[in-house]
Amino acid sequence: DAGVTQSPTHLIKTRGQQVTLRCSPKSGHDTVSWYQQALGQGPQFIFQYYEEEERQRGNFPDRFSGHQFPNYSSELNVNALLLGDSALYLCASSLVTGFTDTQYFGPGTRLTVL
Amino acid sequence: QQQVKQSPQSLIVQKGGISIINCAYENTAFDYFPWYQQFPGKGPALLIAIRPDVSEKKEGRFTISFNKSAKQFSLHIMDSQPGDSATYFCAAGIQAAGNKLTFGGGTRVLVKP
């Protein structure tokens, strides 16, 4: 059973560019959440997608946008990159059922903005 | 408030010792409290989680203690092993709200052989 996969593993961009990160959820999961983890800090929630809609959003500007496809995979897009966007971007998938929807994280995409 | 405060920032323990990490939260709406373990270059992996109707939960060498009135919870790692050396994050979520997680700042644990 494949876990959460993310691509690419690493990415280097320059300020002002745009980037797209991709996530495939764990088999059977229908919800994808994106987190940003700066070096030495805990992950911060960006947004969550369920049934191809953004269900909730954290305190991130509109430069951060996303999409969920019918097969539950998801993309995170960041426009007009800033140096401060350099971080590990984590995707987590879950299944909205029962009382808990435990989130399983992928290995992340390391984004460096120069 | 959505903040979750975690302490200590780092911890050194001898092999066989007990590692204790503490977290405090402010939002009384939180009803799901997981702990994640993260190795360098990897994503966080779920260790153990607790709901506020339970004061303690144990899974193998890992135990969560939960104090609802104090709005605090802690992770105890018994018989710590060098392979436990990692960064540990507490988190809190509201399950009815899609369970987005608010993470603590992390604790780097080093287990010396």
Side-chain angles (χ1 to χ4, degrees):
Chain A
D1 179 25
V4 180
T5 60
Q6 293 186 243
S7 63
T9 305
H10 296 89
L11 206 50
I12 299 175
K13 292 286 188 178
T14 56
R15 279 180 298 174
Q17 285 189 311
Q18 178 265 343
V19 68
T20 297
L21 311 181
R22 295 177 177 82
C23 171
S24 291
K26 184 176 169 65
S27 178
H29 283 186
D30 58 6
T31 302
V32 173
S33 302
W34 286 92
Y35 292 79
Q36 180 195 66
Q37 185 177 23
L39 198 61
Q41 297 184 22
Q44 291 210 331
F45 177 80
I46 302 175
F47 43 54
Q48 184 179 81
Y49 277 85
Y50 172 66
E51 292 187 338
E52 301 180 49
E53 301 251 339
E54 183 181 292
R55 187 157 77 162
Q56 51 183 327
R57 187 179 185 93
N59 294 325
F60 280 80
D62 291 344
R63 297 187 297 109
F64 290 77
S65 63
H67 188 76
Q68 186 179 35
F69 299 94
N71 66 353
Y72 307 118
S73 67
S74 177
E75 287 182 349
L76 164 66
N77 300 292
V78 187
N79 294 321
L81 285 167
L82 303 174
L83 295 179
D85 295 333
S86 295
L88 180 68
Y89 287 85
L90 296 163
C91 168
S93 74
S94 56
L95 178 62
V96 180
T97 183
F99 189 70
T100 62
D101 50 9
T102 301
Q103 295 191 31
Y104 295 87
F105 284 83
T109 294
R110 172 72 62 188
L111 172 65
T112 302
V113 182
L114 302 176
Chain B
Q1 292 294 328
Q2 295 288 318
Q3 198 173 16
V4 176
K5 295 183 179 179
Q6 184 172 345
S7 63
Q9 288 186 314
S10 62
L11 182 58
I12 299 174
V13 62
Q14 292 295 127
K15 179 182 175 182
I18 302 173
S19 303
I20 302 174
I21 305 170
N22 300 299
C23 284
Y25 62 96
E26 298 172 4
N27 187 349
T28 55
F30 287 141
D31 59 4
Y32 175 67
F33 302 90
W35 285 88
Y36 284 84
Q37 178 190 57
Q38 187 176 31
F39 293 103
K42 304 289 187 183
L46 179 67
L47 263 181
I48 185 173
I50 198 169
R51 299 190 322 234
D53 55 346
V54 176
S55 61
E56 185 174 283
K57 183 175 181 180
K58 183 177 181 180
E59 288 185 3
R61 296 183 295 107
F62 301 93
T63 300
I64 298 179
S65 297
F66 185 81
N67 186 330
K68 187 175 181 178
S69 61
K71 292 186 286 185
Q72 295 176 350
F73 58 111
S74 61
L75 176 70
H76 291 61
I77 307 173
M78 314 299 287
D79 187 26
S80 296
Q81 300 297 311
D84 296 333
S85 297
T87 300
Y88 293 81
F89 292 96
C90 63
I94 303 171
Q95 293 186 61
N99 210 19
K100 75 171 190 179
L101 296 176
T102 300
F103 281 82
T107 297
R108 183 175 291 184
V109 175
L110 175 64
V111 182
K112 289 195 168 183

